[in-house]
Amino acid sequence: MRDVCVLGLGLIGGSVLRAASAAGRTAWGATASPADAAAAAADGFDVEETVDVALARAAERDALVVVAVPLPAVDEVLRRVAAVAPTCRLTDVVSVKEQVDDAVRYRLPGARYVGGHPMAGTSRSGWAASDEALFRDAAWVVIADEDHPEPEVLLDVITLALDCGAHVVPATAAEHDSAVARVSHLPHVLAAVLAAVGADGGPLAMALAAGSFTDGTRVAGSDPELVRAMCEGNRTALLDAVDDALGRLGAARGSLASTGGLAKTIQAGHAGRRTLDAQRVVKRTGISVDLTSPGALEALLALGARGGRITAVRGTSALAETS
Amino acid sequence: MRDVCVLGLGLIGGSVLRAASAAGRTAWGATASPADAAAAAADGFDVEETVDVALARAAERDALVVVAVPLPAVDEVLRRVAAVAPTCRLTDVVSVKEQVDDAVRYRLPGARYVGGHPMAGTSRSGWAASDEALFRDAAWVVIADEDHPEPEVLLDVITLALDCGAHVVPATAAEHDSAVARVSHLPHVLAAVLAAVGADGGPLAMALAAGSFTDGTRVAGSDPELVRAMCEGNRTALLDAVDDALGRLGAARGSLASTGGLAKTIQAGHAGRRTLDAQRVVKRTGISVDLTSPGALEALLALGARGGRITAVRGTSALAETS
């Protein structure tokens, strides 16, 4: 089992270090946050003094390096990787993928890089919020773009995600960014809009708020700085999603004002929710993709586009289930 | 304790019949639905053959009549009340209040009417979904408009709500309709929009949907016919709420496109959600309003506007708590 070097020990990085260790991997970390470093060490984890020391060890051990810092700090960490461990296998767990991909190409043109993004989180942050079970049953996107073809690294990243308890969804960086804009970033924007319009109704409206408002505004309770950074980091794809929402909300407004009817809006929403529920029913068709075969990336991307997922690895093959 | 006659034995009416009976009140019901009537009778409740028979008994016993039918059926029921029990004390549990108020004035100009609306529900419907605990800890709006001044009826309706386990929030019909547009109907519209935009992202987007999307679209899973009727029934107030949401979402779009920033949107949403959470902290100032006193309605409406609630009745006084 390949060693794991985690750079950044906040909620996600800390949880990767915990989960990889729990899976029996040799894993260590480093962070620029003295508080997170001290807390991780106090919890008995292997924390190196600096990122450079951690990377030198990674280079020596041919470890998989996991970049787990917030988007604004990614470039600086990639500079350290380029300086100390440029030939290491490299992945990341940042919530947008095209920007990170661009940064990797710029700083490490020959990088052995396969991006990733575990779809898990809480409204808390820092090592104190980390949890070895955070990724259990979560989707972990692994980027299978054509320009990152090294099957061995792909296998390493998929294996790490599976070891952390997640299942793997293959996608291109652009597909990922577009999908999360719709199902992760737009929900935060709409929750913020709803919370503000509700609060504008004053104490009476707040006193009458029941389940629909409470659920619809839950994520507006998250740290606003983290939400803002996450949404702004996916600007282009989020603009498309917001435009779709504006179009649908405007159509609802027009229909309500002119005919008094909302049937089309409500029916489309109900159908959308049923699609989600239906897809969550366990898929039963098993397929196997040999990652060293010529059509492997194409097969993986087709699998992800159909809503399929990789649940295990055997030899050089990914075992997947799909509807 | 005044007898209770419930017209309509679906989710809400059925739950009122159950809760009033459980509180030791003599209560009976009637419904145009043979299925609900049979199910309620099979569960041991007192179900009259027809609405007219139930109303004749109400007139004889000077009972409180509770209209618990969907909005489109309200007018027909009010015609029966006018024909059989025009002097009975009257309330309703319908989710919009100005329309019902207008219908009561038209059919029963001298009605002893005080409207109500319990803020409770589930995505299921019919007697089978009814539950004597449905209203426990829920807000039950009681309309304290100046043109329905009979303190005795006000007291009867407040007492029924409290007997059902709810707390009472006083408001005018217009205040109610505006508030629920923001915190109950707009959440359904935004959930529908979000579910549709998410599903438009295809199987990959659905595979990546996590907590924010699941929570934000939960109510889109409700029966679309019921949601549509509820939202369309509050058309004027909902248009205002949708316009506010369009304005805020449009501003977010503009800011994201021009400067790339979402700080204002996210901060306002976070502040709104904190307002909700803060108001849910138990209020500790107790006040008492004698419903027979000249300034009673004014005092009740001021209480509701501040986010206060009535939690008990002693003699002719409502005991309330407010921040």
Side-chain angles (χ1 to χ4, degrees):
Chain A
M1 292 201 293
R2 187 169 305 284
D3 291 358
V4 179
C5 167
V6 184
L7 305 178
L9 296 175
L11 169 68
I12 304 294
S15 298
V16 171
L17 182 58
R18 285 179 184 277
S21 302
R25 310 273 288 250
T26 299
W28 62 92
T31 171
S33 155
D36 283 343
D43 283 346
F45 288 89
D46 190 349
V47 182
E48 298 288 359
E49 281 282 310
T50 66
V51 166
D52 277 12
V53 173
L55 282 168
R57 183 173 165 192
E60 191 190 304
R61 301 277 308 162
D62 196 19
L64 174 63
V65 174
V66 182
V67 178
V69 297
L71 184 60
V74 164
D75 192 61
E76 178 55 29
V77 167
L78 292 177
R79 290 168 64 137
R80 301 319 313 152
V81 175
V84 181
T87 61
C88 268
R89 294 137 201 261
L90 185 66
T91 188
D92 75 295
V93 290
V94 179
S95 64
V96 294
K97 297 270 62 78
E98 287 206 292
Q99 271 199 65
V100 174
D101 196 66
D102 290 346
V104 170
R105 285 172 204 238
Y106 180 68
R107 291 286 172 206
L108 288 144
R112 306 173 70 189
Y113 168 72
V114 170
H117 178 210
M119 304 300 299
T122 74
S123 53
R124 297 169 59 228
S125 56
W127 173 270
S130 67
D131 177 359
E132 75 173 55
L134 184 69
F135 310 112
R136 203 168 285 163
D137 299 324
W140 189 311
V141 180
V142 171
I143 303 304
D145 268 336
E146 280 170 34
D147 47 327
H148 297 297
E150 206 177 336
E152 229 185 280
V153 184
L154 197 53
L155 203 58
D156 280 334
V157 176
I158 291 171
T159 303
L160 175 67
L162 295 173
D163 279 352
C164 288
H167 55 263
V168 169
V169 176
T172 67
E175 286 172 348
H176 165 277
D177 288 357
S178 169
V180 296
R182 286 170 189 271
V183 299
S184 174
H185 303 155
L186 181 62
H188 280 86
V189 173
L190 290 182
V193 166
L194 178 59
V197 174
D200 282 350
L204 175 66
M206 293 295 94
L208 302 189
S212 62
F213 189 79
T214 304
D215 284 3
T217 61
R218 183 185 61 83
V219 294
S222 307
D223 180 345
E225 284 309 302
L226 292 180
V227 171
R228 195 177 60 74
M230 178 179 77
C231 292
E232 290 174 3
N234 198 18
R235 179 179 178 177
T236 309
L238 180 54
L239 273 172
D240 282 347
V242 169
D243 282 342
D244 283 2
L246 275 169
R248 286 187 176 273
L249 188 58
R253 201 265 175 226
S255 176
L256 189 62
S258 59
T259 69
L262 277 175
K264 210 171 157 189
T265 299
I266 301 298
Q267 287 289 356
H270 189 66
R273 175 70 198 198
R274 285 174 61 99
T275 301
L276 176 73
D277 294 339
Q279 195 170 316
R280 286 185 172 175
V281 175
V282 177
K283 290 157 195 68
R284 302 201 178 278
T285 314
I287 64 163
S288 170
V289 179
D290 184 345
L291 298 181
T292 62
S293 70
L297 290 181
E298 218 166 49
L300 289 179
L301 292 175
L303 172 76
R306 279 201 309 275
R309 51 169 70 171
I310 298 166
T311 54
V313 156
R314 190 178 302 151
T316 61
S317 288
L319 306 187
E321 53 184 32
T322 177
S323 50
Chain B
M1 293 202 294
R2 188 169 304 283
D3 291 358
V4 179
C5 167
V6 185
L7 305 178
L9 296 175
L11 168 67
I12 304 292
S15 298
V16 171
L17 183 58
R18 286 179 184 276
S21 302
R25 310 272 291 248
T26 298
W28 61 91
T31 171
S33 156
D36 283 342
D43 283 346
F45 289 88
D46 189 350
V47 182
E48 297 288 359
E49 282 282 310
T50 65
V51 166
D52 278 12
V53 173
L55 281 169
R57 184 173 164 193
E60 192 189 304
R61 301 278 307 162
D62 196 19
L64 173 64
V65 174
V66 182
V67 178
V69 298
L71 184 61
V74 164
D75 192 61
E76 179 55 30
V77 168
L78 291 177
R79 291 168 64 137
R80 300 320 311 151
V81 175
V84 181
T87 61
C88 269
R89 295 138 201 259
L90 185 66
T91 188
D92 75 296
V93 290
V94 180
S95 65
V96 293
K97 297 271 61 78
E98 288 206 291
Q99 271 199 67
V100 174
D101 195 66
D102 290 347
V104 171
R105 285 172 205 238
Y106 180 70
R107 290 288 172 206
L108 289 143
R112 305 174 70 190
Y113 168 71
V114 170
H117 178 210
M119 304 300 299
T122 74
S123 54
R124 297 169 58 226
S125 56
W127 172 270
S130 67
D131 178 0
E132 75 173 55
L134 184 68
F135 310 114
R136 203 167 288 164
D137 299 324
W140 189 311
V141 180
V142 171
I143 303 304
D145 267 337
E146 280 169 34
D147 48 326
H148 296 298
E150 207 177 336
E152 229 185 280
V153 184
L154 197 54
L155 204 57
D156 280 335
V157 177
I158 291 171
T159 303
L160 175 67
L162 296 174
D163 279 354
C164 289
H167 56 263
V168 168
V169 176
T172 68
E175 285 171 347
H176 166 276
D177 288 358
S178 170
V180 296
R182 287 171 188 270
V183 299
S184 175
H185 304 154
L186 180 63
H188 280 87
V189 173
L190 290 183
V193 166
L194 178 58
V197 173
D200 283 349
L204 175 66
M206 294 294 94
L208 302 189
S212 62
F213 188 79
T214 305
D215 284 1
T217 61
R218 184 185 60 86
V219 294
S222 307
D223 180 344
E225 284 309 302
L226 292 180
V227 171
R228 196 178 59 72
M230 179 180 75
C231 291
E232 290 173 3
N234 197 19
R235 178 180 179 177
T236 309
L238 181 53
L239 274 172
D240 283 345
V242 169
D243 282 342
D244 282 1
L246 276 169
R248 286 187 176 273
L249 189 57
R253 201 266 174 225
S255 174
L256 189 60
S258 58
T259 69
L262 277 175
K264 210 172 156 187
T265 299
I266 301 298
Q267 286 290 355
H270 189 65
R273 175 67 198 200
R274 286 174 61 99
T275 301
L276 176 74
D277 294 339
Q279 195 170 315
R280 286 184 172 176
V281 174
V282 176
K283 290 159 195 64
R284 302 201 176 278
T285 313
I287 64 164
S288 171
V289 179
D290 183 347
L291 298 180
T292 62
S293 70
L297 290 181
E298 219 167 47
L300 289 179
L301 292 176
L303 173 75
R306 279 201 307 275
R309 51 169 71 171
I310 298 166
T311 54
V313 156
R314 189 178 301 151
T316 60
S317 287
L319 307 187
E321 53 185 29
T322 177
S323 50

